[in-house]
Amino acid sequence: MSERNGIFAGEDPFRLAQAWLAEAEKSEPNDPNAIALSTVDSAGLPNVRMVLLKEIEADAFVFYTNYDSRKGQEIAATGKAAFVIHWKSLRRQIRVRGMVEKEEGPKADAYYASRSYKSRIGAWASKQSRPLSSRAALMADVARLTASKGASPARPPFWGGFRIFPLEIEFWADGAFRLHDRFRWDRQTLADAWEVHRLNP
């Protein structure tokens, strides 16, 4: 598509997303990899929360969390998720919708091991999304696990990654007079080739 040039140029949406994120890392003051992740519950009611995108692979977007959390349970039930990543400094955003699979192998182990010790213990201590009687109770669990897990705790079996394989990726850039530039890459199945469409603002 001849008009898809400049910041939208390229034939690989994952490389384009990587390039935009790399640019944002130079200008965004905090967490340029923060995404608003959306899932739905059994009644179809949406949930959205901020998580950190940890990797853009050649064909997927990866983040890590507690599998027993609400988002983990909702992803397990539907196998689907969506997110938006927005950069105020660049006036750009990327929207993604797709299918989700767990990443719970050596790659998850390696990422867990790369985290700070306190974050690793915190993953063990937090019963994410479930009621908590007090912060003191949480810190007591942290102290107990610090004593029992030693200096190099293994990755909890209930904690790991999710890999989103997109069926749709939209790149958006701010335009004058609200006449934004939008290009949507979409496909019916993961085996299909991408189609790219310019969208109205």
Side-chain angles (χ1 to χ4, degrees):
M1 186 177 296
S2 59
E3 65 175 332
R4 190 162 52 79
N5 49 31
I7 63 171
F8 294 98
E11 300 306 316
D12 183 334
F14 299 99
R15 288 187 179 181
L16 184 55
Q18 289 167 345
W20 281 28
L21 177 57
E23 194 171 347
E25 288 170 348
K26 301 173 185 176
S27 60
E28 203 69 11
N30 291 300
D31 296 329
N33 61 328
I35 61 175
L37 177 76
S38 179
T39 56
V40 295
D41 66 15
S42 59
L45 191 64
N47 267 316
V48 65
R49 76 289 282 164
M50 303 304 296
V51 301
L52 296 180
L53 181 68
K54 287 301 178 181
E55 188 173 1
I56 302 175
E57 298 180 332
D59 61 352
F61 298 84
V62 183
F63 68 94
Y64 292 84
T65 191
N66 186 313
Y67 291 141
D68 295 334
S69 65
R70 180 170 288 187
K71 60 183 170 294
Q73 292 177 26
E74 291 175 354
I75 289 171
T78 66
K80 301 172 184 175
F83 73 80
V84 62
I85 185 167
H86 178 249
W87 301 292
K88 289 183 179 295
S89 61
L90 297 182
R91 297 178 181 269
R92 296 183 210 168
Q93 69 180 26
I94 301 173
R95 295 175 59 239
V96 171
R97 302 170 71 213
M99 314 306 290
V100 186
E101 294 181 1
K102 280 184 176 180
E103 168 50 73
E104 52 187 347
K107 198 163 191 174
D109 292 337
Y111 172 66
Y112 179 80
S114 75
R115 304 176 89 212
S116 72
Y117 176 76
K118 289 184 178 180
S119 292
R120 283 178 279 159
I121 290 295
W124 276 100
S126 175
K127 299 174 180 64
Q128 200 173 94
S129 301
R130 281 168 278 180
L132 176 65
S133 61
S134 67
R135 184 160 184 86
L138 174 63
M139 299 315 293
D141 280 344
V142 169
R144 176 180 57 79
L145 287 160
T146 298
S148 67
K149 293 295 180 186
S152 185
R155 178 175 61 86
F158 52 81
W159 190 98
F162 281 115
R163 182 176 281 109
I164 302 175
F165 295 96
L167 294 173
E168 183 178 306
I169 308 175
E170 181 189 318
F171 295 87
W172 178 101
D174 184 59
F177 309 110
R178 309 296 293 175
L179 300 177
H180 313 304
D181 287 309
R182 297 173 63 188
F183 288 92
R184 185 181 66 212
W185 300 62
D186 55 33
R187 54 189 176 178
Q188 292 298 308
T189 74
L190 297 178
D192 292 337
W194 290 106
E195 294 185 6
V196 187
H197 306 275
R198 177 184 273 275
L199 304 181
N200 273 278

